[in-house]
Amino acid sequence: MLVRKGRIAAVGEGLEAPARVRVVDGEGKLLLPGFVDLHTHLRTPGREDEEDLATASAAAAAGGYVAVFGMANTEPVTDSAAVLEGLARQASAAATCRPASSPP
């Protein structure tokens, strides 16, 4: 598989790697789509003592997840556009894998 700018450019046998490109030997390995966790307790806002955006997304990324959906059971409740926008900014800055609502 050939990847260019983070996107799959070609799949097949006998692909030629351009100069100065990192080549990964995939012999005996599996190539799978990234996992998406649809049930993530991010705990932000309100319970960052248990988990926060950085630690939850780092754990997800370590397990092969590329995106997470945060559950809506935060305390305090995310009940305004301003709070949601603030969470999106925090996630963009702190997350290891992207929040599922963010563009790739």
Side-chain angles (χ1 to χ4, degrees), residues 29-51:
K29 307 283 190 239
L30 297 174
L31 177 63
L32 303 168
F35 301 120
V36 177
D37 189 343
L38 301 176
H39 186 120
T40 306
H41 293 276
L42 298 173
R43 308 291 185 206
T44 302
R47 293 307 316 257
E48 292 85 355
D49 59 310
E50 291 184 8
E51 187 83 271

Side-chain angles (χ1 to χ4, degrees), residues 36-89:
V36 177
D37 189 343
L38 301 176
H39 186 120
T40 306
H41 293 276
L42 298 173
R43 308 291 185 206
T44 302
R47 293 307 316 257
E48 292 85 355
D49 59 310
E50 291 184 8
E51 187 83 271
D52 64 21
L53 298 170
T55 60
S57 68
Y65 289 84
V66 297
V68 296
F69 281 86
M71 298 298 293
N73 61 348
T74 59
E75 189 179 320
V77 176
T78 302
D79 59 357
S80 72
V83 172
L84 184 58
E85 288 169 357
L87 281 173
R89 279 192 302 276

